[in-house]
Amino acid sequence: MFLLAAIFVGSVTAQAPPVALEKLQGKTILLFTPHPDDDTFCCAGTLAMLAKQNNNIQIFIYTNDDKGSYDPAMTSQRLAQIRSMEEENACKLIGIPAANIHWLQFHDGMLEYANTFDLVEQVTKVIRTYRPDVVMSIDPGSEYVRWHKTDHRMAANNTIDAVRAAEWHLYFPNQLLHDHLQPWHVPLEVYYYVTPQDANYWVDISSMIDLKLDAAMAHVSQFEPSIHKYRPDWDAQDLKREKADLLKEVIVKNGHVVEAFRISGGFNQQ
Amino acid sequence: MFLLAAIFVGSVTAQAPPVALEKLQGKTILLFTPHPDDDTFCCAGTLAMLAKQNNNIQIFIYTNDDKGSYDPAMTSQRLAQIRSMEEENACKLIGIPAANIHWLQFHDGMLEYANTFDLVEQVTKVIRTYRPDVVMSIDPGSEYVRWHKTDHRMAANNTIDAVRAAEWHLYFPNQLLHDHLQPWHVPLEVYYYVTPQDANYWVDISSMIDLKLDAAMAHVSQFEPSIHKYRPDWDAQDLKREKADLLKEVIVKNGHVVEAFRISGGFNQQ
Amino acid sequence: MFLLAAIFVGSVTAQAPPVALEKLQGKTILLFTPHPDDDTFCCAGTLAMLAKQNNNIQIFIYTNDDKGSYDPAMTSQRLAQIRSMEEENACKLIGIPAANIHWLQFHDGMLEYANTFDLVEQVTKVIRTYRPDVVMSIDPGSEYVRWHKTDHRMAANNTIDAVRAAEWHLYFPNQLLHDHLQPWHVPLEVYYYVTPQDANYWVDISSMIDLKLDAAMAHVSQFEPSIHKYRPDWDAQDLKREKADLLKEVIVKNGHVVEAFRISGGFNQQ
Amino acid sequence: MFLLAAIFVGSVTAQAPPVALEKLQGKTILLFTPHPDDDTFCCAGTLAMLAKQNNNIQIFIYTNDDKGSYDPAMTSQRLAQIRSMEEENACKLIGIPAANIHWLQFHDGMLEYANTFDLVEQVTKVIRTYRPDVVMSIDPGSEYVRWHKTDHRMAANNTIDAVRAAEWHLYFPNQLLHDHLQPWHVPLEVYYYVTPQDANYWVDISSMIDLKLDAAMAHVSQFEPSIHKYRPDWDAQDLKREKADLLKEVIVKNGHVVEAFRISGGFNQQ
Amino acid sequence: MFLLAAIFVGSVTAQAPPVALEKLQGKTILLFTPHPDDDTFCCAGTLAMLAKQNNNIQIFIYTNDDKGSYDPAMTSQRLAQIRSMEEENACKLIGIPAANIHWLQFHDGMLEYANTFDLVEQVTKVIRTYRPDVVMSIDPGSEYVRWHKTDHRMAANNTIDAVRAAEWHLYFPNQLLHDHLQPWHVPLEVYYYVTPQDANYWVDISSMIDLKLDAAMAHVSQFEPSIHKYRPDWDAQDLKREKADLLKEVIVKNGHVVEAFRISGGFNQQ
Amino acid sequence: MFLLAAIFVGSVTAQAPPVALEKLQGKTILLFTPHPDDDTFCCAGTLAMLAKQNNNIQIFIYTNDDKGSYDPAMTSQRLAQIRSMEEENACKLIGIPAANIHWLQFHDGMLEYANTFDLVEQVTKVIRTYRPDVVMSIDPGSEYVRWHKTDHRMAANNTIDAVRAAEWHLYFPNQLLHDHLQPWHVPLEVYYYVTPQDANYWVDISSMIDLKLDAAMAHVSQFEPSIHKYRPDWDAQDLKREKADLLKEVIVKNGHVVEAFRISGGFNQQ
């Protein structure tokens, strides 16, 4: 499988993205996320804009996030329920209905140990079923090895592997034979969790920042005090403090609050 | 296993290569490639020069490239036959006989799911059998995670693992006991598919550029229109157009058409 | 599992380390190393200082280093014994008793093929048992893919995976139930084998350089002539030559011989 | 998980089946088969009777049977298409519509190498979705090791593992949380491919023997001459000869042509 | 590795056991069980006799039995706690202290998916540490494939694999080098969960039958009504009914209530 | 893949073998054995007869038998050398030259953990290369689960899987494409290590019994005293005693010393 551009030019540079992501309308957009909050923290502003413009956004979540609580009384079954409910609440705020949330049902922190062949086959089937205009996913990029370990790394790699496989009918040919699913070339890939040097596209989310903060706050169990002793709601003081903390952390570019992405038009599929 | 240079200097910088690759004569050179075209697109010019100078070049191809066709009538068994024939044609053009082409018989896109222990053992045996002066392989380098996924990444990692294992008789000791294969230290490693910042050696292939284009064109099924509806030969117009496209993509250094490599003299074996 | 700092700032920059590593006293320090010499070559000076200041240093060695000899008469069982003895000698010189050396009992070069789930569970148990103030480990960083392959890469990744898992009671919950091991958050992570651009902390080991050279020399079988034909001791001439060679390779910063580290205060655990 | 009957009695004897299998009406029956012909050859008579009595029969086929042809021109993609079509034809004859045939999409002979955890999870989901009154499957019994190897053995074991897992909500709990699938206890298990000493139930298929022969003959590519040189239809002479051969092989009990089963009411679920 | 008796005689017949199991005194006995109740249901009477005679009985339990409840409010973390407590209660009744119960910490029903290499290594270490006179384990025999699937089969096979490995110093040689554990030949193997045709030894437990029933009843959550809606204690009526049911199921031989075993003196180690 | 005979008759009974094994001449016979002594102990008499009659006997040995010594000074590398030499000596005695002995190079006791897909592919290639008239292998039969664990079980299953795969060109099709190996149907399968109830063929080896004893004795390191303290030769007294012991264990049928087999003509290939 050849890599024409890279081979003869020898470069993997970030090119100017061919489209204005936030202006898309009426498109099918699949977002893959390792946990039910990565999407909110990285993309809620952009997703809110896209949802408003009648794009069909489908969220696929690799794991159920059932490990990350310091509450000694918490069990994994209960945490999974909480995290599922929180994701539904966060998505609702930015305009994505619960029916559009799909869980791949792995346990938190265990994606690393999944069978990668089965995982790629499963996501390939998703892509061939929805035939998306855009796939949004965590960036499998060069700087990420250090902290992309386990769920992040696996989710990142697996999604692009599936994007590539989906394009060729001879990958998992039984999906065509038995499920009548045609191959599908994903025209646009949008990566989040990018480093500053890899980002090549920034969406101004100034108009959505309050909504994004509310969506982030919907993940109550991820924050103090709920992460240490679970409570499903916010004390007003806690909420104010956490929102203020988050606001200090936003990415600002040219004076605007933005979300950063790396957009790619097919190269990674090779 | 210690890493002396790196430990005390703390550096992994590219050093000046100790030899002029393109001047080698009468050497044994093993080239490992994930697919039967990566070698052509990256190294055909250099290989043609090396073949001319009576080097014994042996090509080892990890996968049979049996997935990459958009032709709905294509099957994997047939595509593998086509790709095999095309590789023989391309190699013949640059002076490498069909008998020097060896297939490791994995399916395209499936190397990621191979058993890595068996794979390293197999390639270690190849190295101990041929006792090469040079191993050429795809670069397992730092910038490549993003696009080296699946076959590329696995081929890159596996080859250097085998280079390292081949050197010590206590790796796979049954190869010595039962096959009478002595350990072998590969003196020179030459990596292709390198990024501009990693390249430390460039071969001027000006005199071979026509031959390289012809060799590239021998992979008919990788190009339009054959990739969409298979035909074994070229329409003159198509051929002209594709050659022109390729020419736009060559790497030029100091006014010369070059192929870029990263040459390493043993460090990676640690 | 969210990554707050990274998400909103979008940066993975090296921050100033919060503590003076070499000034620690009375702390519990776990060092994880792929082989029984990586610790000596990278950290012996720093470890000697820490040992002197009554820190409880426990060394965990992933593999038994039973492959790296060119001596044709050597067997793996014998080499493992030699390497074990050499590590005890080296550690003794820098003030770490043999009882503090723990072997995870993998074979050299085979860590890549270990079951990663079991491996993380095992190291998580170690961390929850010792409840260390500091974990020292090989850096799983961005530039290391090329040469961290096999044992190095696996040791690097596995240790930080275990650091993260150790913190949450819902990872490997049977360790709490059956072993009565509480979760443990490692407050400080210190990485060795760092590239110059990743290093963010340097320990001046001028006062320990002789001791470090002696400790390095204790790994007799790793050097000429013993690596080619095993002998357990040094000829005076050989010893002098090897020490001189090592001295040429030390890292010097601001005129001082240093050991370089990347120190991290928790970010990697996400 | 206790095994009460077996523990205190110490016996695994075949007990009288609690129901008349062939008299069932309006039930949901899931049949699991390794290949798309095992069901026909073992159960076509019984299935025809059950279909006639308005039972909802759903066929789940583990593999696509894409290897078993001696025709040198045959490819796996093409054979899979043929086998799929033949299965539809055979099922149609005995009253099961194409929509009730489901393929698990493994390749022939490769089920042995599937990831068993994923496979059990997948079939557990099927069982919890359909909530069957009866599961029919290949017998994982004591005498079968010798010839149940690969697909047969794996299909046999996996199906009963899934029957057991389906019953308890704590197996694959995300299926309840995310898919809203309640656990399901399968009340009746019917095993085919049984040895004479294990059979405990026989269905008189005298009235269905012609239909069964026709259904068997629908698998054209499994017989001479088609298995050696594919043709999609029968020469009248060949058809007559093969039917006669099959008739010589039927199981006769008390003067009736029967299909033999081992029926179990839950014990195996332990 | 040769199988002398079997090879030349060609027989795998059950031989008369060389010792009176229930008369042993002052011995070290390791019992391996897949779940924390298999030991009680199969061996409680015999174990009670052995405990009384000052044998050192150590119980090793492969899984934590955290799946087998129909109570919809039950979670796996909580069920594991309950099952652990019940096992301690049952063992206490028959004279085995809680400190002698060891958990291998696998999840219920998941032993099938464990890494078998790691599992054998772990149990080999246990055997070399305790150097037992007797190993009691679930029978990996010929008739058991059907119902020994998953945890039972894996526990049965793994234990005898470890018994064999423990005997030879070249299996897992690092256990000798690093843990100073000498190899150990287990002189007597006693298998429970045997079929009538495989049993070759019966212990008369008449004097212990009340104690055994009490021990069985200690596993409250395994019985109605607790298995459907958890309660930690018994209603007097329920207790009476369940005891009566169990009594109907005991094995009787020559008018005595017995526990049945297959005793082997080393053959299986080959 | 259908099982005609079994399906309609429902029987797996041992049929009269179609040929006189010991009368074969000029045939190609592949024998697969888990360790380099199983073949001698089970088949040396028969092999000696077959070798004498100019059959081309090729021995394939799965493991190098490098664990089974009680000698504390023994290492695995050395034991493998000894076992290799002993196998050559034993084979020479019965007329099979060293060049006909092939090692698959697994370590003793580790075949269970091999990658089964790779293993079947490897043996399939062997079968397609030699195109044998007879395959001799360890019996994967019903009674053998108990003691066929690890190497024996894996060798037994793997060989018949490969026999089946070898027959169809669509299994491992790259062997045809790249190695030009045609599929091969093995006409006769002969199983050793059979139970009395499974044996269906007995070769009278009266004329070869002395030779067989000598061949057995060539495996010096498998017997006392060499197994406890290695010596390469026999003390006359020891030799006499061991031979006498072996003679007590031979299988006698109708007054003749025999070797027992189960012969199968293709059924197992289904």
Side-chain angles (χ1 to χ4, degrees), chain F residues 68-84:
Chain F
S69 171
Y70 299 114
D71 185 342
M74 187 59 72
T75 68
S76 281
Q77 271 90 31
R78 192 169 157 233
L79 188 56
Q81 290 174 321
I82 291 167
R83 295 280 156 89
S84 173

Side-chain angles (χ1 to χ4, degrees), chain D:
Chain D
M1 200 179 309
F2 69 94
L3 281 161
L4 204 61
I7 294 157
F8 284 82
V9 172
S11 160
V12 196
T13 50
Q15 293 170 306
V19 299
L21 173 63
E22 71 275 27
K23 303 239 168 88
L24 294 175
Q25 300 185 35
K27 299 298 186 190
T28 297
I29 299 170
L30 302 193
L31 183 145
F32 291 89
T33 175
H35 309 99
D37 66 350
D38 296 316
D39 52 335
T40 306
F41 289 112
C42 288
C43 316
T46 304
L47 289 176
M49 294 164 82
L50 290 168
K52 223 172 154 180
Q53 286 150 216
N54 296 315
N55 293 288
N56 173 19
I57 303 171
Q58 302 286 337
I59 310 285
F60 288 83
I61 307 174
Y62 278 98
T63 76
N64 67 354
D65 215 14
D66 63 351
K67 300 274 189 0
S69 171
Y70 298 114
D71 185 343
M74 185 60 70
T75 68
S76 281
Q77 272 91 32
R78 190 167 158 235
L79 189 56
Q81 290 174 320
I82 291 166
R83 294 281 156 88
S84 174
M85 186 193 64
E86 291 175 352
E87 175 71 3
E88 293 190 8
N89 292 344
C91 281
K92 196 177 177 185
L93 283 168
I94 58 175
I96 299 171
N100 291 20
I101 303 171
H102 312 270
W103 302 81
L104 299 186
Q105 303 192 350
F106 290 88
H107 292 282
D108 190 17
M110 298 293 124
L111 200 63
E112 181 78 10
Y113 316 115
N115 182 283
T116 50
F117 182 89
D118 289 0
L119 198 54
V120 166
E121 187 172 25
Q122 183 180 10
V123 174
T124 300
K125 188 170 179 178
V126 167
I127 292 171
R128 289 174 174 170
T129 301
Y130 283 90
R131 311 177 76 71
D133 300 290
V134 181
V135 162
M136 300 180 72
S137 184
I138 191 168
D139 197 339
S142 61
E143 299 276 332
Y144 303 77
V145 174
R146 185 173 297 150
W147 57 282
H148 264 198
K149 195 59 183 64
T150 67
D151 296 343
H152 284 209
R153 188 176 66 179
M154 187 63 101
N157 285 347
N158 187 71
T159 306
I160 58 160
D161 276 4
V163 164
R164 185 191 52 242
E167 182 175 341
W168 307 96
H169 70 94
L170 293 171
Y171 275 86
F172 313 119
N174 291 330
Q175 295 185 349
L176 177 54
L177 174 58
H178 297 310
D179 298 328
H180 311 296
L181 292 172
Q182 293 293 331
W184 179 250
H185 171 87
V186 176
L188 194 72
E189 301 162 38
V190 176
Y191 298 103
Y192 57 89
Y193 274 159
V194 292
T195 56
Q197 60 270 34
D198 285 318
N200 65 6
Y201 197 78
W202 298 263
V203 174
D204 181 344
I205 60 156
S206 308
S207 65
M208 294 293 175
I209 186 64
D210 289 338
L211 197 57
K212 175 166 184 168
L213 287 179
D214 287 341
M217 292 301 110
H219 296 279
V220 187
S221 69
Q222 305 273 9
F223 294 92
E224 290 295 349
S226 192
I227 198 170
H228 266 95
K229 182 160 174 38
Y230 179 66
R231 54 177 285 181
D233 54 355
W234 284 100
D235 173 270
Q237 282 302 99
D238 291 330
L239 184 63
K240 196 172 160 190
R241 185 202 66 233
E242 289 289 349
K243 278 194 179 180
D245 284 354
L246 284 184
L247 262 177
K248 285 181 217 142
E249 309 279 359
V250 297
I251 308 175
V252 176
K253 194 174 171 79
N254 304 328
H256 299 287
V257 177
V258 297
E259 286 173 343
F261 300 98
R262 184 172 67 83
I263 294 191
S264 167
F267 175 75
N268 281 334
Q269 296 173 37
Q270 297 302 333

Side-chain angles (χ1 to χ4, degrees), chain C residues 42-221:
Chain C
C42 289
C43 317
T46 304
L47 289 176
M49 294 164 82
L50 290 168
K52 223 172 153 179
Q53 286 151 217
N54 296 314
N55 292 287
N56 173 18
I57 303 170
Q58 302 285 338
I59 310 285
F60 288 84
I61 307 174
Y62 278 98
T63 76
N64 66 355
D65 215 15
D66 63 350
K67 300 273 189 1
S69 171
Y70 299 113
D71 185 343
M74 186 60 70
T75 68
S76 282
Q77 272 90 32
R78 191 169 157 235
L79 188 56
Q81 289 174 321
I82 291 167
R83 294 281 156 89
S84 174
M85 187 193 63
E86 291 175 352
E87 174 72 2
E88 294 191 6
N89 292 345
C91 282
K92 196 178 175 184
L93 283 170
I94 57 173
I96 299 171
N100 291 21
I101 303 171
H102 312 271
W103 301 82
L104 299 185
Q105 303 192 353
F106 289 88
H107 292 283
D108 191 18
M110 297 294 124
L111 200 63
E112 181 78 10
Y113 317 114
N115 182 283
T116 49
F117 182 89
D118 289 1
L119 198 55
V120 167
E121 187 172 25
Q122 184 179 10
V123 174
T124 300
K125 189 172 178 176
V126 167
I127 292 171
R128 289 173 173 170
T129 300
Y130 283 91
R131 310 177 76 71
D133 301 290
V134 181
V135 162
M136 299 180 74
S137 184
I138 191 168
D139 196 339
S142 61
E143 299 275 332
Y144 303 77
V145 174
R146 186 174 296 149
W147 57 281
H148 264 195
K149 194 61 182 64
T150 68
D151 296 343
H152 284 209
R153 188 176 66 180
M154 188 62 102
N157 286 347
N158 188 72
T159 306
I160 58 161
D161 277 6
V163 164
R164 185 189 54 242
E167 181 176 343
W168 307 97
H169 70 94
L170 293 172
Y171 275 85
F172 312 120
N174 291 330
Q175 295 186 350
L176 177 54
L177 174 58
H178 297 311
D179 298 328
H180 312 297
L181 292 172
Q182 292 292 332
W184 179 250
H185 170 86
V186 176
L188 194 70
E189 301 163 36
V190 177
Y191 296 103
Y192 57 89
Y193 274 160
V194 291
T195 57
Q197 61 269 33
D198 283 319
N200 62 5
Y201 197 79
W202 298 263
V203 175
D204 180 344
I205 61 157
S206 308
S207 65
M208 294 293 177
I209 185 65
D210 288 338
L211 197 57
K212 176 165 182 168
L213 287 178
D214 287 341
M217 293 300 110
H219 296 280
V220 187
S221 70

